[in-house]
Amino acid sequence: MPEPYEPYDPYSPYDLITMGRIGVDIYPLQTGVSLAQVETFGKFLGGSPTNVAVAAARLGRRTAVISRTGDDPFGHYIHQALRDFGVDDRWVTAVDRYPTPVTFCEIFPPDDFPLYFYREPKAPDLEVVADELDLDAIRAARVFWMTGTGLCEEPSRAATLAALEARSAAGPAPASAGPARSAPAIAGPARSAPASASAATAATAVPAVEPALHTTVFDLDWRPMFWPDARNARAYYSQALAHATVAVGNLDECEVATGEREPRLAAEALIDAGVELAVVKQGPKGVLAVHRDGTSAEVPPVPVDVVNGLGAGDAFGGSLCHGLLAGWDLTRTMRHANAAGAIVASRLACSAAMPTEAEVEDLLARS
């Protein structure tokens, strides 16, 4: 196992902490072939919130993950992969009694990518316990990202809600911590002035001085196969939305959370549920973002030749966090996130495919 980190420094909060699913993706190295015929596979770090942390780290952000693995070789691989990607793994701990989950997929471009989850008898990432959370770090993070899957079973559900409640109760952090590290006020991209840096500057570095941020993102992440009783989902989603600043989901996920499927109505329902910013993914129609202050942006997708659509949403999420942290306006944030997702869709892997800032800016310049 890797050497342990130094103790957490409360005066140096993370740009992003994600919490939830983690595992190993086993992807075929042949496309257009069913698993019954696939002969060679690749092994990759997986789990949606984990991939979001990787995506943001690739864009220059300081990130960490809260989750659990099995105490097995796949779990050890996860720790090494996180560190290789520059993601802090101090809060990824082992569960003796459950194996690290694996996920297989089939790849039939451009739009058919069946997933096969192996998370029985129970995934270790659902064994995150509220009493073991580092609530000081969670409170201090500039962005905290959690998912609907974390609400599907105990003790993960109670831990996820405890983290959200700690974020809500934390309130403003001291402004003296400095603009790039403090978290004194909830601020979304629609409340900030557009960034003035040129594309060339943005492609090489994160701005030195950025707006303060204290944002909680709820990735609606609806996976019905993970819920023992899916009828309870909306009630738990409502509890989480009351503590969230931003909600992100596709039309199916928005319908589970709010009962609304029409994009604008779904966004308004999410705002009514408590968030400041609703981001509704519409597939081939692009993305709709609506802020409580009335600002909105609807941005089409970036066209690419799709290899594997899995992981594009996680790249979108990491880029969304990057834009929020930078204080970009809604349109710039959504364009960047769409481009990041498109790049990953054009590649085979998820975590290993996450783009750099230069790659995103290059695609945007050519689009």
Side-chain angles (χ1 to χ4, degrees), residues 196-207 332 357 361:
S196 59
S198 67
T201 300
T204 58
V206 173
R332 181 178 180 183
E357 182 71 15
E361 292 294 340

Side-chain angles (χ1 to χ4, degrees), residues 39-335:
E39 295 181 352
T40 55
F41 296 85
K43 177 185 66 178
F44 305 96
L45 177 67
S48 180
T50 302
N51 286 338
V52 169
V54 171
R58 290 281 283 170
L59 294 170
R61 299 298 176 176
R62 182 167 178 253
T63 71
V65 174
I66 300 170
S67 192
R68 305 196 74 179
T69 70
D71 187 10
D72 53 29
F74 275 151
H76 302 162
Y77 160 74
I78 283 172
H79 281 277
Q80 187 59 59
L82 286 169
R83 292 193 172 205
D84 288 346
F85 286 124
V87 178
D88 195 320
D89 66 339
R90 72 178 67 216
W91 297 301
V92 179
T93 58
V95 178
D96 292 336
R97 61 190 178 280
Y98 298 128
T100 300
V102 297
T103 302
F104 287 84
C105 78
E106 293 175 316
I107 300 176
F108 296 101
D111 58 4
D112 186 19
F113 308 100
L115 281 170
Y116 302 88
F117 294 97
Y118 291 82
R119 292 169 58 89
E120 300 296 335
K122 187 177 185 180
D125 54 57
L126 295 175
E127 286 289 290
V128 177
V129 179
D131 290 346
E132 297 176 359
L133 295 175
D134 188 335
L135 293 180
D136 288 339
I138 291 170
R139 292 186 190 102
R142 301 178 69 202
V143 179
F144 176 69
W145 178 288
M146 47 71 62
T147 76
T149 294
L151 301 171
C152 73
E153 285 192 48
E154 297 291 1
S156 173
R157 179 186 301 139
T160 301
L161 292 173
L164 290 172
E165 290 165 3
R167 291 282 292 180
S168 291
S176 60
R181 291 297 184 190
S182 63
I186 295 175
R191 293 184 174 182
S192 310
S196 59
S198 67
T201 300
T204 58
V206 173
V209 177
E210 297 176 340
L213 198 74
H214 190 262
T215 289
T216 301
V217 183
F218 181 6
D219 176 4
L220 302 180
D221 184 43
W222 173 242
R223 306 281 182 172
M225 71 287 289
F226 296 165
W227 286 78
D229 189 348
R231 294 173 297 180
N232 297 329
R234 187 171 298 169
Y236 295 122
Y237 272 52
S238 295
Q239 289 184 51
L241 285 168
H243 296 286
T245 313
V246 179
V248 183
N250 61 31
L251 295 177
D252 290 338
E253 293 165 338
C254 290
E255 186 173 21
V256 169
T258 69
E260 297 287 354
R261 188 172 181 85
E262 194 280 324
R264 179 69 62 166
L265 292 177
E268 291 172 354
L270 290 168
I271 290 171
D272 288 343
V275 305
E276 296 288 317
L277 174 65
V279 179
V280 181
K281 301 176 185 177
Q282 305 176 79
K285 293 184 178 180
V287 61
L288 170 67
V290 180
H291 197 276
R292 180 180 292 277
D293 67 5
T295 308
S296 67
E298 192 160 11
V299 178
V302 178
V304 292
D305 293 329
V306 174
V307 174
N308 183 0
L310 301 173
D314 303 333
F316 181 100
S319 173
L320 169 64
C321 295
H322 181 58
L324 291 170
L325 287 159
W328 294 342
D329 63 56
L330 275 183
T331 299
R332 181 178 180 183
T333 301
M334 294 303 113
R335 288 188 70 243

